[in-house]
Amino acid sequence: MKNFSNFAYAAAMTTVFGLPAFAADQPGAGVDVSPIKGSPANAWFQHMVVQQGLEALGYNVEETLEADFPAVHLAVASGDADYTFNHWKPLHNDFFDKSGGEGVMTRVNAAITGAGQGFYIDKKTAEANDITSIRQLSDPAVAALFDADGDGRANLSGCNPGWGCEIAIEDHLDNLDLRDTVQHDQGSYFAIMADTITRYNEGGAILYYTWTPNWISDVLVPGEDVVQIGVQKDGEMDAGFAVNDVYIVANNEFLEENPAAAKFFELVDIPISAVNAAQVKLRDGENTLEDFQRHATDWIAENQEQFDSWVVQAAAAAN
């Protein structure tokens, strides 16, 4: 296994059932592959789908490394990891570029598309106070509606330090003159959101950032429980965050040496609805590696013909 002691390891399952018969032609036999993902558990599903495809091609997929997103990109760039299925474009553009960019790694494929993100508040407070833009929270009276700790400022449940969304949120706070009225609460995102959900259930006003695919929107349902508020600039309103695609990013040297893996990465296509469905299972307590492996196995079984075609084409690319 590659030396990568600075990152936390998570044991990944390696037994794959129901591999297609043609997988006997395994161009990856004898080759170790090291994946890496960000620290949130919600990226396991897509990594497990890719892992099963690589194993069908004969690759030995090592334990999946976990790290904060800047370190994920540095690992792929340096070759300490071979690939990640956790690169959000454009959210992670800076991480990609500052790690060496296209000179050392490749965005092989936008295998999940249409991932949204933005700011949300509870519907009751939005409607009672006609709040449609986060810029309105520059008014201390409006911001105080979302004060959860008694300091007069709105508490914004935000992103972990080191995540791409942290940078975007911090830019909004600076550019929209919100520093004096909004506090960006950071730490463990899902722990903070658990407190936010509790506050909502107790009748409190809430302000938070989230993204899709993510189980948060299955608990705080947009249009029913909460509404998305935009970012007003120059008289126009938008979400304040770009819609992202989630890419498989791989080390260039690895891609050159492993055309079968490169082709498989190129072919993977997972609907965002499937990722959302996996997030609901995660929310409901199916949160072990065995669970994540089963989620991927079940989705593959439901899409077996397509998955098998990916493996066939990838194996052919090595010949």
Side-chain angles (χ1 to χ4, degrees):
M1 182 172 295
K2 297 179 181 180
N3 181 15
F4 207 67
S5 58
N6 290 336
F7 297 100
Y9 283 86
M13 305 296 291
T14 57
T15 302
V16 180
F17 301 98
L19 295 183
F22 51 74
D25 179 18
Q26 296 185 318
V31 179
D32 293 334
V33 182
S34 178
I36 189 168
K37 60 177 285 294
S39 53
N42 58 11
W44 272 114
F45 169 70
Q46 62 258 35
H47 276 86
M48 287 295 190
V49 171
V50 169
Q51 176 174 320
Q52 292 197 26
L54 293 176
E55 289 173 339
L57 291 164
Y59 289 98
N60 173 45
V61 181
E62 296 180 342
E63 294 175 341
T64 299
L65 304 164
E66 291 190 291
D68 289 334
F69 290 107
V72 167
H73 291 79
L74 285 169
V76 176
S78 67
D80 285 324
D82 296 313
Y83 74 91
T84 185
F85 194 170
N86 219 173
H87 171 78
W88 286 50
K89 183 182 179 182
L91 190 63
H92 292 159
N93 282 356
D94 283 349
F95 301 153
F96 183 86
D97 294 339
K98 290 177 180 178
S99 298
E102 294 178 353
V104 289
M105 52 187 166
T106 298
R107 294 182 178 101
V108 182
N109 176 26
I112 301 170
T113 59
Q117 52 184 325
F119 295 120
Y120 290 80
I121 64 175
D122 62 285
K123 185 177 180 182
K124 179 178 67 174
T125 304
E127 292 181 345
N129 297 276
D130 195 25
I131 302 171
T132 58
S133 168
I134 195 169
R135 193 162 200 164
Q136 292 171 254
L137 274 67
S138 62
D139 180 342
V142 177
L145 297 170
F146 303 96
D147 178 15
D149 57 14
D151 69 354
R153 294 187 296 166
N155 288 89
L156 166 62
S157 300
C159 285
N160 291 31
W163 289 8
C165 49
E166 177 202 25
I167 298 171
I169 291 172
E170 291 292 302
D171 284 346
H172 285 317
L173 296 183
D174 286 333
N175 297 333
L176 301 177
D177 298 322
L178 294 170
R179 284 293 177 191
D180 293 337
T181 56
V182 177
Q183 175 179 307
H184 184 189
D185 292 340
Q186 296 182 266
S188 173
Y189 175 80
F190 289 102
I192 291 172
M193 285 305 301
D195 290 340
T196 302
I197 293 167
T198 297
R199 189 161 64 252
Y200 172 77
N201 289 336
E202 293 174 348
I206 57 172
L207 165 67
Y208 65 96
Y209 162 90
T210 198
W211 68 91
T212 57
N214 191 337
W215 60 262
I216 296 296
S217 293
D218 292 288
V219 176
L220 298 172
V221 179
E224 296 181 14
D225 304 307
V226 298
V227 294
Q228 185 170 6
I229 58 173
V231 174
Q232 189 172 8
K233 296 180 179 179
D234 301 324
E236 296 184 0
M237 187 83 74
D238 63 36
F241 299 85
V243 174
N244 280 253
D245 295 330
V246 185
Y247 278 75
I248 299 173
V249 170
N251 178 273
N252 286 348
E253 184 176 333
F254 174 80
L255 292 172
E256 183 177 350
E257 294 175 355
N258 294 276
K263 185 64 175 179
F264 185 80
F265 292 159
E266 178 185 322
L267 295 169
V268 172
D269 182 14
I270 303 177
I272 198 166
S273 59
V275 187
N276 275 326
Q279 301 314 308
V280 174
K281 295 174 183 177
L282 171 62
R283 176 203 70 192
D284 291 342
E286 297 183 26
N287 55 10
T288 69
L289 288 172
E290 290 83 359
D291 290 328
F292 302 143
Q293 181 80 0
R294 186 183 69 258
H295 300 162
T297 300
D298 290 347
W299 182 81
I300 290 169
E302 293 169 0
N303 299 273
Q304 195 70 57
E305 183 177 351
Q306 180 185 43
F307 180 83
D308 290 352
S309 74
W310 297 343
V311 176
V312 169
Q313 293 176 71
N319 298 326

